[in-house]
Amino acid sequence: MALKTAVAAFALALSLAGVAAAAARTDLKLGLALEPTGLDPTIDAAASIDDVVYQNIYEGLTRIDQNGAVQPALATSWDVTDDGLTYTFHLAEGVTFHDSTSFDAEDVIFTYGRITAADSINPQKAFFAGIDSVTAPDAKTVVIKLKAADGLFLFNVGRGAAVIVAPESEPTNVTNPVGTGPFKFVRWQKGATLSVEQFAGYWGTKPALTSVTYTFIKDAAARVNALRTGAIDGINNTDASTLPIFTNDPNFKVLVGTTEGETLLVQNNAREPFSNLKVRQAIAHAIDRKEIIAGASSGYGTPIGSHFPPHNPDYIDLTGTYPYDLDAAKKLLAEAGYPDGFTATLKLPPVPYALLGGQIIASQLAKVGIKLNLVNLTDFAQWIGEVYTNHDFDLTIVSHIEPNDIGIYANPNYYFGYNDPDFQAILKTLNETTDPAARKELLIAAQKRLAEQAVNGYLYELPQIGVWNAKLEGMWQNQPIGGVVLTGIHWME
Amino acid sequence: MIWFALQKLLGLVATLLVAAAITFIALDLLPGDTARFILGINATPESVEALREQLGLNAPALERFFTWLRGMFVGDFGMSYTQREPVAGLIAGRLGVTLPLTFFAMILSAGIGLPIGILAARKRGSAVDTGLMTLSQLGVAVPNFWFGMLLVLLFAVTLRWLPPGGFVPWGDNVFGALGSLILPSFALALPQAAILARVMRTALVDVQSSDYIRTARAKGLTMSEAVWRHGVRNAMLPVLTILGLQFAYLVAGTVIVENVFYLPGLGRLIFDAISARDLILVRSSVMILIVAVIGTMFLTELAYGWVDPRLRARRDE
Amino acid sequence: MTSPFDSIKSWFKHPSLRIGAIASLVFLLIGFVSVLWTPYPIETVSISNAMQDPSLAHWLGTDHLGRDMVSLVMKGTLTSFVVATIAVAIGAVIGIPLGLAAASWGGAGEWAILRVNDFLFAFPALIIAILITTLFGPSAINAMIAVGIFNIPVFARVARGGALSLKTLDYVAAARLSGMGPIEIARRHILPNIASLIIVQATIQLALGILAEASLSYVGLGTQPPATSLGLMLKDAQTYALLKPSLALIPGITIILIVIALNLAGDGLRDQLDPKLRRLGGARGVA
C-alpha cells in the first residue's frame, strides 16, 4: 500500500517537473569576446564595459534604440527652447537605484558635475564641453543650458559614459556597479564569468529574462565550441569566418546586422604622396571592395563610399564615385608624378579585418605599382601611440565605431591630418542645426565632399554577426551604439 | 647543512633583487600611454593628464621602483591601473586556477610518463619498448594548443562528457571545478609525460648496467627486484631535475592552454595586462612567477644536498 | 683524442639516426628550395580560389585566402627552420662562452653567471616573447630573439657541466701547468670534446624551437603575414577547423614530422656518442 502511494507520489512529482521544464527558460548564458576591465563606463572607455552595463545596469536621461533613434529613459519627456540652448528634462517617478536609494535630480546634477569637472576623467567629456549649467528647479526636473545649439545633444545624453550614477555608490561602481537599470549586478568571477539578475524594484517594464551570465571567451575557435555544446546560448558579435558552421544548423540562428563601424584604409593626408588628391583618387580606383569584403569578412558587410553608415536614413550611396578601374588608377598616378608607383607602409592593428584586409589591399594596390610593406602592430595600445597620437604612419586600416563621428574630418589635427575649409564650414553649420530636414541636406553635402576628396579609402561597414540559439528572440540585429541590450530578449517555447 | 642552506638563501635573495630591477626596467621601457589607452581616443588631453596623476604615473622611476619593492615585502603589490583593484587580490584569484592546474598536470604527467618509462626500460629492446618510445616521440612533437583543441572537439563537442572550457569556481561546486581542469591538464601533461617517459627509461637503462645492481643480482635478487629496490631510487635524481624544470615551465607557460579553454589563469592575466599597459599588474605578476620558479629550484637544490652529501661539497649544479 | 668527425661514418649504422637525419635533411631541402622557387607566390591573394580541395593545379588545395598550400608549406617550413636555427645560434653563441667562463673562473664570477642563468630560466619565456614583440613589434626576427634568449641558459648549463667534468682530467691540468691561457685551453681541449654534447643539445633545442615558433604564432607574436610559417598556418586554420580540417592537419602533421625527425636524429647522436657522454656526465644533466 505504502509502496503504491510512494510510486504515485513519485509519478506526480515527475509529471510536475515535466510541466515546469516545458515552460520557457528565463536565464541566459551570453558569450562575450572581451572581458571588461571594470564596470564603470564613466571612467574607462573600453567598449567591453558598455557590452555588459549599457541600458542593463545603468541608464541615462535618454537612450538610443536599436534603430539609432533617441528615446526617453530616465527623462520621460523634455522641452527645448527655440534657440536650442535650454533643455528641460522631466524625470521619471518612483525610480530607485539597485541599493534602494532613490533617484532624483540631485543624482543627475552629480553625474553631469563629474563629467564636466576640470579634473574629470570621463572618456566622453568632449561631447559635453558645450554645457553651460545644470540646475534642478525641483526634485523631478533638470534644466541644462548650452553655450551653443547642438544638434546631437540629445543623442550624446544617451551615450554610455553619460549614464546616471549616485554619489552614494559611485566610488565602488568599478567593481560593484549600482544603477537604475532593469538588471542588477550579482557577482564577477574575474577572468571567467559575470552574473546579473533582474532588479525587482525596476521602475519600467520588467524584462523577460530573470538572470544572465556572461562568459568571456577570447579565442574564436573556443567560442565556436562553446556555442555548439550549449555552454553559451549566444554571442552578439563573432567572427564571420566561423559562420558556415551555424548557418545550416537549425539549432542556431545567425543575425547579421550593421554597426556604426566605418572600416577604412586610412591615409595620412598630411604626408606625401597622400596629400596629393590624384594619388588618393588613384588608390580609390584600385580598391576592389567586393574582394575585401569576401576575404576579410567572409562576404558580410555593406560597401561604403564615404564616412557614413548605410543604415542611417540620411545616407546616400557614393560607392560609385571612383569605380574599380585599374587603368584610371595608373593614369592618375602618372599625372601625379608616380608613373611607376611608389612604396609605403601599412600599419595594421591585430584585428582580423585589418590583418586580412591588409593582405588583400596590398595585393590589389600592387597591380598599379604601389608596393606596401605590412607592419603588424602588437596591440591597440601601440596603434594609439604610434598612429593616433604621434601620427607616425603612411596608411593604416581601422574601423571607426563611434556613432555620428563624421565630424572628425573637420578637425585638422586629427590623426589623418585632413584640412579642408569647405568641409569645416559644412560641419560648423551642421553642429548648430537642429531641424532634421536641414541636417539631412548638410549631411548629404558632407558625405559627398568626403567621397570626392577620397580622404580615406572607404571600404565597408563592419557587420554585427550574432549567433544565437534558435529559440531566442528580441536581440538587436544592428548595433547603433556600443552595448548588448538585454531588455527585449526572451525564449520562445 | 645549515651553512649550505644559508649560502643558497643569500644567492636566492640576490637573484630576486636583480630580477625585480630587470623586470621593472624592461616593463617601463614599453611604449604606450596607459592613461590614454584606458580613456580612449575621444578623451581630452586634460582628462588623460588627470588620470596619469591619479594613477601615480608621473612620479620618477626610482621612486616608483622603491615604493613597489617596499610594498612587495609587506604583501602590498599596488593597485591595478586598469581594474582599480589591489593586484594581490587579482593574482590570488588566478592562482586558484593556475596552481591546481599545474599540480594536476604534473601528477598526470608523472603518473602516465614514469610507468611507461619503467616498462620500456624493463622490456628494453623489445617491440613494446620501440612502440612506447615511438608514442613518446609523438607526444613531444604535438603542439599543445593543437592537442587541446582536438581534446575539446572529441570530449566536449562530440561526446559531451566534459565542458569545452571555462571554470566553475571551487566555492560553487568542487566537482565542477575539477571537471573544468581535466581536459586542460591532459593537454599540458601530454608532452611532459612523453619527456618523463624517455628520461625515466634512459636513467633506468643506465642504472641497470651499474655496479650496485650487479652486486644485488650476485646476492640472488632477480633483475626486476634489483631494479625496483635499488635502481629506481637512483634513477629518480634526473627525473626530479626534470620535474623541477617542468613546474617552472607549466606555471608560466599556461597562457596558450588558458586561451584554448578560456580559463581565468595567471598566464592570461599577464597577457591581457600587457596589452592594456597595466604595468603594475604585469610586473607584480611576473615577480610572483619568478619567485615561484626560483623558489622551487632553490628547494630542489636543498633536497639534492640533503639526499646526496657529496653534492654539498661540490659546487652547485 | 679522436675528433668527432672521424666517427661520422659509423654513425649512420644507427637506425634512429639514419631515419632522423635523412628526414630532417629532406624537410630542410624543401625549405631551401622555396627560397628560389615555389609553385605559386604566397603574397598573391585570390579570394575566388579560397578553400579548394586538392587538384592537379593545387596538390594540397588552397587556404582561406586562395593561396596554394604546397607553396605555403614550403615557405612555412623554411621560416620555422630559420627561426629555430637562429634561436639555437643565439643560445649557443652566448650560452657556451658563458658556461665555459663559469667553469673556468669559479668563485664570484661563476656565481654571478649562475644567478643570471637562474633568472633567465625563471623569467617566463612567453612573457619575454610578449615584451620583445611589444617593444619592437611582432615579427619572425623578434620570435628568434625571444626563443634564443631562452636557449642561452640551456647551452650555458651544458657547456659548464661538460667543462667541469673535463677540468679534472690530466691533460687539461697539464695544459694549465704549462702556462696555456684559459681561452687557449677552451679552444684546443674543451670545446672539441664537449662538441658532441652541444650537438645533441642543439638538435633538441631545434625541435623545441620549431614548437616554440608555433606557439608564438598562435598568439600572434611570431611570423606575420604576408610571410608564413607552420605555426602561423596552424593559427589561421584553427577557426576553419570544423569547415576544412585539412587546413590545420597539413601544417600540424608537418610540424609533428619535423620535430620527430629532429628528435630521432638527436637521440641517435646521443646513443652513438654514449661512451663519451658517460664520461662527461652528460646523460644525467642533459634534458
Side-chain angles (χ1 to χ4, degrees):
Chain A
M1 221 38 203
L3 184 60
K4 259 210 204 160
T5 323
V7 170
F10 187 60
L12 183 62
L14 267 186
S15 66
L16 281 177
V19 168
R25 278 173 63 184
T26 57
D27 68 303
L28 182 68
K29 293 182 287 206
L30 196 52
L32 283 180
L34 292 175
E35 184 179 16
T37 41
L39 296 171
D40 186 346
T42 65
I43 58 173
D44 189 330
S48 47
I49 302 181
D50 280 333
D51 282 348
V52 173
V53 307
Y54 181 61
Q55 292 190 33
N56 300 328
I57 295 183
Y58 302 104
E59 299 171 303
L61 289 179
T62 60
R63 65 176 175 88
I64 310 302
D65 72 10
Q66 54 185 311
N67 298 318
V70 175
Q71 297 287 353
L74 284 175
T76 49
S77 65
W78 49 82
D79 315 306
V80 188
T81 53
D82 287 337
D83 58 6
L85 294 177
T86 309
Y87 287 76
T88 308
F89 293 98
H90 304 286
L91 306 179
E93 314 230 349
V95 182
T96 45
F97 283 91
H98 299 149
D99 61 359
S100 305
T101 56
S102 61
F103 158 78
D104 59 30
E106 285 307 309
D107 298 302
V108 179
I109 297 194
F110 173 73
T111 300
Y112 279 88
R114 269 180 87 231
I115 296 177
T116 52
D119 62 350
S120 156
I121 54 173
N122 189 305
Q124 291 175 354
K125 178 180 174 184
F127 291 119
F128 302 97
I131 291 184
D132 195 30
S133 70
V134 180
T135 51
D138 59 65
K140 295 292 158 211
T141 319
V142 172
V143 175
I144 301 187
K145 285 206 170 73
L146 303 180
K147 297 181 198 145
D150 180 355
L152 287 174
F153 182 66
L154 285 171
F155 185 92
N156 290 337
V157 158
R159 284 181 184 263
V163 291
I164 305 300
V165 295
E168 299 91 339
S169 43
E170 176 265 322
T172 51
N173 270 345
V174 74
T175 45
N176 186 8
V178 170
T180 60
F183 290 92
K184 97 185 241 203
F185 169 74
V186 173
R187 87 167 179 184
W188 188 8
Q189 281 258 104
K190 291 232 171 166
T193 57
L194 191 157
S195 359
V196 299
E197 68 184 10
Q198 198 188 86
F199 176 44
Y202 183 56
W203 63 278
T205 331
K206 293 257 189 315
L209 295 171
T210 52
S211 82
V212 177
T213 305
Y214 298 89
T215 308
F216 308 110
I217 309 177
K218 205 162 168 197
D219 184 85
R223 284 201 290 271
V224 169
N225 292 331
L227 278 166
R228 294 184 73 210
T229 55
I232 55 176
D233 299 314
I235 184 160
N236 74 304
N237 204 356
T238 189
D239 287 39
S241 55
T242 56
L243 280 187
I245 303 167
F246 299 106
T247 37
N248 295 321
D249 188 335
N251 293 317
F252 295 98
K253 60 159 58 124
V254 173
L255 278 185
V256 181
T258 55
T259 65
E260 287 284 329
E262 291 83 27
T263 311
L264 315 169
L265 171 68
V266 179
Q267 300 169 130
N268 192 342
N269 279 239
R271 246 191 217 191
E272 294 279 331
F274 308 101
S275 43
N276 187 327
L277 172 63
K278 291 203 178 188
V279 169
R280 299 200 303 267
Q281 289 170 327
I283 292 179
H285 276 301
I287 293 178
D288 177 0
R289 292 187 184 92
K290 254 180 43 206
E291 192 183 31
I292 297 172
I293 296 175
S297 195
S298 301
Y300 297 95
T302 321
I304 51 175
S306 183
H307 194 98
F308 214 70
H311 59 251
N312 192 304
D314 300 328
Y315 170 81
I316 51 167
D317 184 356
L318 293 161
T319 49
T321 313
Y322 297 106
Y324 183 62
D325 184 345
L326 292 178
D327 293 322
K330 289 188 206 157
K331 192 158 155 292
L332 281 162
L333 278 176
E335 283 173 29
Y338 301 96
D340 302 316
F342 56 88
T343 314
T345 50
L346 172 56
K347 289 194 175 173
L348 301 169
V351 272
Y353 66 75
L355 295 173
L356 289 168
Q359 286 182 264
I360 300 172
I361 288 183
S363 188
Q364 289 177 353
L365 292 186
K367 295 189 188 141
V368 296
I370 301 178
K371 189 168 172 335
L372 293 184
N373 295 322
L374 301 183
V375 174
N376 288 18
L377 303 174
T378 324
D379 48 37
F380 257 106
Q382 195 177 5
W383 186 90
I384 291 179
E386 282 181 30
V387 177
Y388 184 78
T389 312
N390 298 337
H391 306 183
D392 177 20
F393 74 106
D394 291 332
L395 297 165
T396 185
I397 295 182
V398 78
S399 197
H400 278 260
I401 54 173
E402 274 292 326
N404 304 323
D405 62 350
I406 198 170
I408 57 182
Y409 290 83
N411 175 2
N413 296 322
Y414 207 60
Y415 72 102
F416 46 72
Y418 177 60
N419 194 350
D420 179 2
D422 288 354
F423 186 79
Q424 287 157 14
I426 301 176
L427 257 291
K428 185 163 178 305
T429 321
L430 174 67
N431 286 339
E432 294 160 356
T433 312
T434 40
D435 170 51
R439 283 186 70 86
K440 188 186 178 95
E441 290 286 311
L442 290 163
L443 281 169
I444 290 179
Q447 291 173 65
K448 282 199 178 138
R449 179 74 181 162
L450 291 182
E452 286 156 21
Q453 288 285 302
V455 185
N456 291 322
Y458 311 102
L459 303 177
Y460 65 98
E461 196 74 14
L462 210 60
Q464 170 171 253
I465 299 174
V467 178
W468 303 91
N469 186 308
K471 298 204 183 102
L472 280 170
E473 291 268 308
M475 295 76 68
W476 283 20
Q477 185 161 350
N478 299 331
Q479 195 182 44
I481 193 159
V484 182
V485 178
L486 300 169
T487 32
I489 303 183
H490 58 275
W491 289 93
M492 294 192 302
E493 206 47 65
Chain B
M1 178 65 194
I2 304 284
W3 180 231
F4 178 72
L6 273 175
Q7 260 186 326
K8 292 273 170 201
L9 197 58
L10 210 61
L12 179 70
V13 171
T15 314
L16 289 177
L17 278 174
V18 174
I22 298 182
T23 308
F24 185 90
I25 296 173
L27 289 173
D28 242 39
L29 287 175
L30 276 185
D33 179 1
T34 310
R36 170 56 75 180
F37 182 80
I38 294 176
L39 295 184
I41 59 182
N42 286 325
T44 61
E46 297 83 40
S47 302
V48 174
E49 192 49 39
L51 186 56
R52 288 187 61 87
E53 274 300 317
Q54 252 189 45
L55 297 177
L57 292 172
N58 284 332
L62 219 53
E63 185 187 317
R64 283 182 287 126
F65 177 61
F66 282 113
T67 316
W68 175 54
L69 262 191
R70 225 182 359 209
M72 281 207 288
F73 276 115
V74 298
D76 172 17
F77 294 91
M79 286 290 245
S80 155
Y81 295 145
T82 56
Q83 300 189 45
R84 332 280 170 121
E85 272 202 298
V87 170
L90 293 173
I91 295 180
R94 302 304 182 109
L95 282 177
V97 174
T98 295
L99 283 180
L101 179 60
T102 307
F103 284 131
F104 291 147
M106 286 185 66
I107 293 174
L108 267 179
S109 69
I112 298 177
L114 296 181
I116 290 184
I118 296 177
L119 184 59
R122 285 173 63 168
K123 307 246 187 225
R124 181 188 191 186
S126 73
V128 172
D129 180 23
T130 321
L132 287 176
M133 285 303 106
T134 312
L135 271 182
S136 80
Q137 286 283 14
L138 208 59
V140 172
V142 176
N144 66 355
F145 58 89
W146 200 41
F147 184 60
M149 221 9 117
L150 292 175
L151 284 177
V152 170
L153 285 174
L154 178 59
F155 289 101
V157 178
T158 314
L159 292 172
R160 306 281 168 117
W161 287 355
L162 290 164
F167 186 71
V168 176
W170 293 105
D172 284 7
N173 184 341
V174 173
F175 289 111
L178 288 174
S180 324
L181 293 180
I182 293 181
L183 289 182
S185 302
F186 270 102
L188 283 172
L190 176 76
Q192 308 303 322
I195 294 176
L196 274 179
R198 289 158 53 152
V199 170
M200 185 83 229
R201 178 190 177 280
T202 311
L204 265 182
V205 161
D206 278 353
V207 142
Q208 270 172 347
S209 51
S210 63
D211 292 341
Y212 55 89
I213 293 290
R214 273 198 293 233
T215 318
R217 295 213 64 197
K219 284 203 203 153
L221 293 172
T222 64
M223 184 52 124
S224 312
E225 288 169 332
V227 168
W228 190 244
R229 267 199 229 174
H230 300 282
V232 173
R233 239 179 316 157
N234 284 284
M236 284 308 284
L237 270 177
V239 171
L240 275 176
T241 319
I242 303 294
L243 277 174
L245 287 175
Q246 272 191 7
F247 177 76
Y249 164 74
L250 283 175
V251 153
T254 53
V255 177
I256 292 176
V257 164
E258 286 171 27
N259 253 343
V260 172
F261 293 93
Y262 49 102
L263 293 170
L266 196 54
R268 270 187 51 204
L269 181 69
I270 300 180
F271 194 91
D272 293 342
I274 295 181
S275 298
R277 299 292 187 274
D278 194 339
L279 301 180
I280 200 168
L281 184 51
V282 180
R283 70 173 91 103
S284 296
S285 309
V286 168
M287 270 318 290
I288 292 197
L289 282 180
I290 293 179
V291 167
V293 171
I294 293 190
T296 312
M297 285 162 56
F298 173 64
L299 287 172
T300 317
E301 286 180 52
L302 275 186
Y304 261 41
W306 178 65
V307 158
D308 187 350
R310 295 174 298 166
L311 285 172
R312 279 183 244 153
R314 230 199 293 167
R315 254 184 259 106
D316 44 290
E317 185 65 13
Chain C
M1 278 289 114
T2 49
S3 145
F5 303 108
D6 287 347
S7 328
I8 289 185
K9 292 180 210 120
S10 69
W11 286 0
F12 276 90
K13 298 213 182 93
H14 192 293
S16 262
L17 184 51
R18 212 176 27 212
I19 301 175
I22 293 180
S24 306
L25 285 172
V26 164
F27 281 111
L28 211 57
L29 205 61
I30 292 177
F32 276 138
V33 168
S34 78
V35 176
L36 298 167
W37 171 85
T38 53
Y40 295 81
I42 63 167
E43 293 79 21
T44 326
V45 159
S46 168
I47 307 295
S48 40
N49 283 334
M51 312 257 243
Q52 282 179 353
D53 284 327
S55 64
L56 276 178
H58 298 280
W59 288 4
L60 288 174
T62 59
D63 77 341
H64 59 293
L65 288 177
R67 302 177 294 182
D68 174 49
M69 288 294 279
V70 172
S71 314
L72 287 173
V73 168
M74 290 171 71
K75 281 263 167 152
T77 305
L78 178 69
T79 311
S80 297
F81 261 118
V82 169
V83 170
T85 306
I86 300 207
V88 164
I90 293 178
V93 163
I94 301 182
I96 295 178
L98 270 182
L100 292 179
S104 117
W105 293 343
E110 179 183 33
W111 185 87
I113 293 182
L114 284 175
R115 294 309 123 221
V116 170
N117 244 29
D118 285 347
F119 175 67
L120 283 175
F121 258 136
F123 203 99
L126 201 59
I127 309 294
I128 294 182
I130 297 174
L131 288 176
I132 291 182
T133 45
T134 311
L135 271 172
F136 302 114
S139 77
I141 298 180
N142 295 330
M144 292 173 210
I145 298 176
V147 181
I149 290 182
F150 195 66
N151 281 336
I152 295 175
V154 175
F155 282 103
R157 190 173 266 235
V158 168
R160 176 173 168 272
L164 276 181
S165 319
L166 283 175
K167 237 178 125 150
T168 50
L169 291 177
D170 292 341
Y171 66 92
V172 175
R176 290 248 302 279
L177 282 173
S178 77
M180 205 182 273
I183 298 186
E184 270 287 311
I185 296 182
R187 197 173 57 83
R188 279 231 231 143
H189 296 292
I190 302 196
L191 267 180
N193 286 291
I194 60 171
S196 31
L197 261 181
I198 302 284
I199 293 175
V200 170
Q201 194 64 39
T203 51
I204 296 175
Q205 298 306 115
L206 256 182
L208 288 177
I210 297 204
L211 286 172
E213 192 280 330
S215 296
L216 283 176
S217 297
Y218 178 72
V219 285
L221 300 174
T223 316
Q224 300 294 313
T228 191
S229 73
L230 294 174
L232 190 57
M233 289 174 71
L234 204 50
K235 170 198 193 224
D236 288 339
Q238 290 278 56
T239 27
Y240 303 102
L242 290 162
L243 289 172
K244 205 164 197 315
S246 63
L247 283 187
L249 281 174
I250 293 174
I253 293 183
T254 312
I255 292 181
I256 293 178
L257 289 176
I258 296 180
V259 170
I260 291 184
L262 286 170
N263 277 335
L264 278 179
D267 277 356
L269 272 175
R270 178 192 285 148
D271 281 355
Q272 282 298 107
L273 303 166
D274 197 71
K276 281 220 190 107
L277 284 179
R278 225 182 251 291
R279 195 162 17 90
L280 295 175
R284 187 161 74 78
V286 174

